[in-house]
Amino acid sequence: MSSYNGVIYGVIFCLISAAFDVFVAYLTQSINSAIVIFYCFISSTLLFMMISIFKGIDQLIVKVRKNTLLVLIVNISILLNWGGLIISLRFLEPAIVGVASVACGPAITILLSSFIDKDEAKTEKLEVVISWLVLIGVGVMLVNTFLGNSGLSSTSTQDRIIGIVSVIIGAVGTVLYTISSKKLFKEKWQTYEILSVRSILMVILSFCYISLSDVSLSLNIDLILPMLILVAVGHLLPIYLVLKAINAITPLHISLLFLLIPVFTILFQYLDSRIAFSVESLIAASVIVSLLIILGVSKIKKTKGYNEV
């Protein structure tokens, strides 16, 4: 697959993900987050497992046995990524979640790649400096959010702490998933095979939580259609698109492409009546995205330099 196709898949993913973030932030005010997580991931696991069975379950079993550790890492990364995302969207402004979850990407990618995939870890000093400046900027933005200076100021201090911790965990999970999925593609895994095994841990833990708590799996009649839309358009389609993008371009390029998510999220979030316009959030998002654009330009120039040699 060409890198051009990878970018197209990535842009569509970012657009849908931004709308998903805003929709989930609204929906989780009426539905327990564990219910959203369970229905999304049981649906994707069953769908892609059936595809894997149809294509040949024997080869999937062989690959799982060969790459057991990587499959486990992918499952843990999904637990961190989506668990952190959905919980944080319940308590924080969607734009803040969008910026924090993707802005940390380049710095975390550089750090984790050096341990997981050294081939993807080649960076220059400028990239490292800007990546850490972005992390500092995210830290300042989250502190500002904790103090109540955002578009969603009606939450309690405890809610904000939970949201901030969750979005940081989600950011680590996002990068870990990108890197580990890239490794699976190098091991000749197909997209549908990764999607069939990546969420097993999430399904098990969310079901256990629901079973042990007072949460019911049943939905009110007026919430069935929104949940179906969320699962089909907001979950199944994006997870397929992002894996196609990961297969075509590098983890750092993926992190840079994800910068479109907070941009789209800022545009979409004001459809939610709970979110007020926040100058602080807009300035923070603009500064962080600007730094990441500089990082992206640096990366592009570096790549062109290599190609000309």
Side-chain angles (χ1 to χ4, degrees), residues 101-159:
S101 60
V102 302
C104 299
I108 300 174
T109 298
I110 291 169
L111 180 63
L112 293 183
S113 289
S114 62
F115 293 102
I116 298 176
D117 193 349
K118 297 183 183 298
D119 293 336
E120 303 285 355
K122 300 172 183 177
T123 54
E124 293 184 345
K125 288 183 179 180
L126 178 62
E127 294 172 355
V128 175
V129 170
I130 294 178
S131 295
W132 287 108
L133 283 175
V134 168
L135 276 184
I136 294 171
V138 170
V140 173
M141 181 184 68
L142 291 178
V143 169
N144 207 38
T145 300
F146 173 75
L147 297 174
N149 299 321
S150 73
L152 185 60
S153 56
S154 59
T155 52
S156 66
T157 300
Q158 181 180 347
D159 289 343

Side-chain angles (χ1 to χ4, degrees), residues 66-87:
K66 180 182 177 182
N67 304 117
T68 303
L69 180 59
L70 269 178
V71 172
L72 178 60
I73 292 174
V74 166
N75 271 264
I76 292 172
S77 68
I78 288 297
L79 185 64
L80 299 176
N81 176 12
W82 285 86
L85 173 68
I86 292 176
I87 293 172

